[in-house]
Structure formats: C-alpha cells, structure tokens
Amino acid sequence: MTYGIETPGKIIAVHLNYPSRIAQRGRTPAFPSYFFKPASSLAPTGSTIERPAGTELLAFEGEVALVIGEPARWVSPEDGWKHVAFVTAANDFGLYDLRAADKGSNVRNKGGDGYTPIGPKAIPTDGIGQDQWRVRTWVNGELAQDDTSDTLKFSFGQLIADLSQHMTLETGDVILTGTPAGSSVVIPGDVVEVEVDAPTAPGAPSTGRLVTTVAQGDHEFGDFGNKPAVDDKQRIEAWGSEQEHAAAVAAGRATPLDEQPEASPLTAEIRELLDGVAVATVSAALRKRGYVDIFIDGVHPNHEGDTILGTAKTLRFIPFRPDLFKQYGGGFNAQKRAFDTVNEGEVLVVEARGVPSTGTVGDVLALRAQVRGAAGIVTDGGVRDFAAVQEFDIPVFSQGAHPSVLGRRHVPWETDVTIACGGAAVQPGDIIMGDRDGVIVIPPFLLDEVAREAAAQERADAWVAEQVAKGAPVDGLFPMNAEWKAKYEAEQEARA
C-alpha cells in the first residue's frame, strides 16, 4: 500500500509527452511510445534512492501517475479518461549511465529498486477533467519543473485508448504520463519532491509532496553484466543542456566533459594576418587551389564597413508545410536552439534557400547571438526588425529587410549540419569571412596557407596601388612583371 491502493500488476511509462520536454529533446513523436517498469521499483514518500557506485547521472522526472479503475480494453480516446480512478504523483528516476546497455528497453536504467517513488495520496478523479492537473518538482527546495496536463501532446484518454488496443489495463495498473522540461541530474544528499494537484477543481485537491532523498550506494556492478558508461552526449542530455551542465560543473555537482572542443585553426596569429585583408584577395588564393564555389551570394552587411570572421555554426530551414510547421515550428525549435547555443567567435550561417521574402532573423534572436559573443550572422534570407537589428553591434549579412514572421515560407529544421547558403556549401567549423564585397567560406585545412598567401598579396597590392598613385602605368605592374617584382622585393628587404 504505497499510495492508497494495492500494488499494481503493470507500471507503464510514456517516453515523451509534454511539449516543453519535446522541444528540449529536439524530436517530436507522431504517436506515444512506452516502456515498462517493475513493481519492485515502487517506493513510498520519505524513501531513499541510491545512486550506484561508479555512476554519475541519476536523473529525476516528476510525473502525473494515472491509476486504472474499471479495466480498459479496446476503448476510444473519448472514453479513456473514464477508466482512470485515481491520480497521484510519481518520480520516474533513471540512470543515464546504463542507457546504452538497455538499448531502449529502460530495464536497467529505470528499473532499479526505489526508482519509482509514488504517492503520498491518491486523488479520486470524480468531477475532475483530464486537462485540470498540474505537476511540480522541487530539488532542495527550488522549483525545477512546473507544467499542466492541458499542454500534453497525447491526452490521458489517448494514452489509455492506445494501450488498450494491445493489452487489458486492469484495476490498479499505473501509467506514468511523461515529464515536462526541467528534468535534470541529482547527486547524493539532494532531496527531490514531486506534487500533483488540480488547482482549478473544487477544493484544489493535492497529492501532497512525494519526498525522495538521494544517497550514495557502495555496491559495485559486477563483470557479469554491462557496466555503467557515460559520454559527453549523455552528460549534456541528462543535465538538460550544455549550459546547465557547465553550471553544474562550476558548482561542483557534475563531472567535466571528456572531449574538449578542437582548437580552432582561427588562431590569434591568423586573425592578425587577415586583419585588413580583403575578402577578394582571399578568394583569389582559394581560386588558385580550385575552390571557385565558395561565395555566399546575394548577402550584404547591415552596417556599412562591417567585416566578419569566425567559425561556422549552421541552421537549416526547409520549405513551409503546415503539418511540418505545426510539428517542428513551435517550442524550443531549431531556430531558437541555434541562437541559444551559438558560441563566442562563431558565425551563425542560415540556409534560407535564397528566399528574401521572409524574415529569418529578428531583433530578439540577433541580440541573443550578440550577448553570447557570436562573431556575426549570415543568412541568404531576409531580416525582420531590420532597423532594430542595425542598432546592435553584431554584423548581420543578409538579402535585406522583410517584415514577415516565422512560418510564412520556412520550417526551422536542424542545426549543426552541412547546409547550402547563397550557393555555397557550409559545414560546421568552416571559416566564414566577409566584407562589403561579400562573404566566402574557407575550408579549415586551407586556412593557414591561404591566410599567409593572401596577407602577402595584400601587401603587394598596396605597394602596386602606391606606384599607380605616383603615375606608374598598370601594364607590367598589375600583375607585376619580373622588373617590377624585383623592385618590390628590394624595397621590402630594405624596410625589413
């Protein structure tokens, strides 16, 4: 009797359901998917959960738990909610260190003893609709999750109906309905509390707070089964984002990432070499090496005299389609993710398919990129709030102004992939360089030799311009023949 009724025969959990969590994960399911949790994972309020020895990524997930009343088999979504007798609070703990070992089943990473605290009270559903519930989670007294059931992608009734197509849901069975954004990692000593209530229902019934304390386990996993293993991707996903993980590292709560980003070829020395070098000069050096389609055509700076030099971070839009925009355009979509994760020194390059008649950057997003230290933005589409964006310091190269909002011509699709912008292929990590003449893409492995050659050529071109200004004819001087080249080299030696 952990929450007011007998131990359930089945505990079924939903993977993704809250739009806030779906946006955080960056993938949108068309239909609900599920996994089982064993009854032995149940625990009451006030219990302790152990983080096993040798692991680091124990994560909480506050959830609304449905308790089946009348058995359900082949019921409709409209009738599904009628088969729920009680609602209570649950915490779907999981150990990211064992996710790879489970290959999607969640048996080990979510099936441990105490990994499904539930309770403390069960609220009868009589007179309360399926859209009237709220779930909140606190970690060490600070609110971490807060969401409501009226936002769900898959309603409670739909979940009941879907599951009832495959099995009989029997009295006492429990369904965990998904967790909202805010799920993160907890460490030994942390206290996690989950509460489910119906604040708009008569009496505002509540389950009370389901309290779980995290402790450090001392039992090591044996060699006769898969052992815990984590990588940087798991760390970032468990903590919620790279920024949240970094904050946890700074607070002494998380392990630093194993893989440090590769050093950019765009060193201080290379930047000094390219300072004052024209894009046209660099493009000539690239042409000598067979690179002729490296121009992001049709884009112009939002400030006269702007230059841009940085490492590419990419964002791709695809053509608008109502169903795809509904699925991918809302929430923390690819566009927002790109602007929210662009790093210092990066240039955000946007593939807008060369369509100028829609805005792909607005004032808020441009400001976010500037605050994060981005070196600039390049889009082969339009810029919304153009006058406001011009007030910012960040260089923005585009096809010009357009007042439309997202959803007119584009669907934000993906980030950090190879794209085509203004007729040029751009990969994450490419070097982006621009001035009033235009923007070019430099493959990183060519940067050093191209920069040195272009810097030398820029000095030579400046000397040629001096000679022309003094009255010298261009024939034989531009480009320099042997005689002029000898004069130039002698003068350079004298200045050295």
Side-chain angles (χ1 to χ4, degrees):
M1 299 283 290
T2 54
Y3 49 90
I5 63 172
E6 296 297 332
T7 300
K10 295 188 288 293
I11 305 170
I12 305 170
V14 178
H15 282 108
L16 288 172
N17 200 357
Y18 284 88
S20 61
R21 180 70 161 175
I22 290 170
Q24 191 179 44
R25 283 294 195 239
R27 55 183 185 271
T28 304
F31 299 103
S33 59
Y34 315 91
F35 58 93
F36 282 104
K37 299 196 77 173
S40 56
S41 69
L42 290 171
T45 189
S47 63
T48 296
I49 183 172
E50 287 192 353
R51 187 184 73 174
T55 66
E56 62 175 274
L57 300 179
L58 177 66
F60 67 86
E61 295 182 6
E63 306 202 13
V64 175
L66 312 180
V67 183
I68 298 298
E70 181 183 346
R73 177 65 169 157
W74 293 110
V75 302
S76 67
E78 292 73 26
D79 291 335
W81 176 242
K82 299 174 185 177
H83 292 263
V84 180
F86 300 96
V87 163
T88 190
N91 199 333
D92 179 21
F93 279 103
L95 195 63
Y96 279 72
D97 309 65
L98 290 173
R99 288 178 80 188
D102 280 341
K103 295 180 171 60
S105 71
N106 287 338
V107 169
R108 284 167 286 197
N109 89 85
K110 284 180 172 283
D113 288 350
Y115 277 47
T116 316
I118 195 165
K121 298 177 183 177
I123 305 171
T125 58
D126 293 341
I128 306 177
Q130 62 181 326
D131 294 336
Q132 292 182 261
W133 302 94
R134 175 175 64 174
V135 59
R136 290 178 293 174
T137 307
W138 294 262
V139 178
N140 300 328
E142 293 190 8
L143 187 64
Q145 293 182 292
D146 187 352
D147 217 326
T148 52
S149 61
D150 59 338
T151 69
L152 293 175
K153 182 169 178 60
F154 311 115
S155 70
F156 295 154
Q158 181 179 348
L159 299 178
I160 302 298
D162 184 25
L163 288 166
S164 76
Q165 298 181 106
H166 308 285
M167 66 192 80
T168 300
L169 297 177
E170 298 170 320
T171 302
D173 285 350
V174 170
I175 300 170
L176 308 184
T177 57
T179 197
S183 165
S184 190
V185 175
V186 283
I187 63 176
D190 287 347
V191 177
V192 188
E193 300 171 278
V194 182
E195 180 183 9
V196 170
D197 63 354
T200 63
S206 168
T207 63
R209 293 199 183 186
L210 171 67
V211 182
T212 307
T213 301
V214 182
Q216 180 61 55
D218 55 10
H219 288 281
E220 298 277 354
F221 286 100
D223 295 330
F224 41 83
N226 282 296
K227 284 196 163 186
V230 297
D231 56 24
D232 289 344
K233 180 180 179 182
Q234 297 282 28
R235 289 187 178 103
I236 292 168
E237 191 163 289
W239 281 98
S241 71
E242 191 169 351
Q243 289 71 36
E244 288 167 302
H245 172 264
V249 170
R253 291 175 55 84
T255 302
L257 299 181
D258 292 329
E259 298 178 7
Q260 300 304 316
E262 289 185 16
S264 171
L266 197 53
T267 62
E269 180 189 7
I270 296 297
R271 286 184 177 278
E272 186 176 353
L273 280 171
L274 291 176
D275 186 26
V277 174
V279 164
T281 306
V282 179
S283 72
L286 287 168
R287 181 181 178 85
K288 289 180 182 178
R289 291 158 175 81
Y291 287 81
V292 295
D293 293 318
I294 42 79
F295 301 96
I296 298 180
D297 288 329
V299 300
H300 308 284
N302 59 335
H303 309 119
E304 190 62 38
D306 264 353
T307 60
I308 197 169
L309 180 63
T311 305
K313 179 182 178 65
T314 60
L315 166 64
R316 179 180 172 229
F317 288 101
I318 66 169
F320 177 79
R321 210 174 82 180
D323 59 324
L324 294 178
F325 188 80
K326 182 178 180 181
Q327 191 171 5
Y328 295 97
F332 194 47
N333 59 42
Q335 183 189 41
K336 291 179 181 177
R337 292 198 304 273
F339 281 88
D340 218 33
T341 57
V342 64
N343 291 317
E344 185 175 355
E346 290 183 329
V347 176
L348 185 56
V349 185
V350 182
E351 176 188 339
R353 307 185 330 281
V355 179
S357 57
T358 184
T360 55
V361 179
D363 56 350
V364 172
L365 293 180
L367 180 59
R368 179 60 175 156
Q370 176 173 295
V371 168
R372 287 190 58 81
I377 302 166
V378 178
T379 173
D380 62 356
V383 172
R384 188 169 178 260
D385 310 312
F386 194 89
V389 173
Q390 275 189 314
E391 295 297 315
F392 304 146
D393 295 330
I394 187 169
V396 179
F397 285 70
S398 72
Q399 291 212 62
H402 201 279
S404 70
V405 297
L406 183 66
R408 178 172 184 262
R409 301 290 297 275
H410 300 305
V411 178
W413 196 250
E414 56 188 340
T415 64
D416 303 317
V417 296
T418 300
I419 63 171
C421 182
V426 183
Q427 293 193 301
D430 282 347
I431 306 304
I432 305 300
M433 184 178 184
D435 60 18
R436 189 61 183 86
D437 279 353
V439 178
I440 60 172
V441 183
I442 309 170
F445 74 93
L446 285 175
L447 178 63
D448 186 86
E449 62 181 90
V450 163
R452 294 182 190 283
E453 180 179 312
Q457 186 63 51
E458 194 76 20
R459 289 193 297 271
D461 288 347
W463 185 83
V464 167
E466 288 178 11
Q467 309 316 305
V468 172
K470 294 174 182 178
V474 295
D475 186 28
L477 174 61
F478 187 66
M480 287 188 279
N481 58 25
E483 181 182 353
W484 278 110
K485 189 172 183 180
K487 290 180 181 179
Y488 170 69
E489 291 174 350
E491 190 169 317
Q492 294 304 302
E493 284 183 22
R495 290 180 180 180

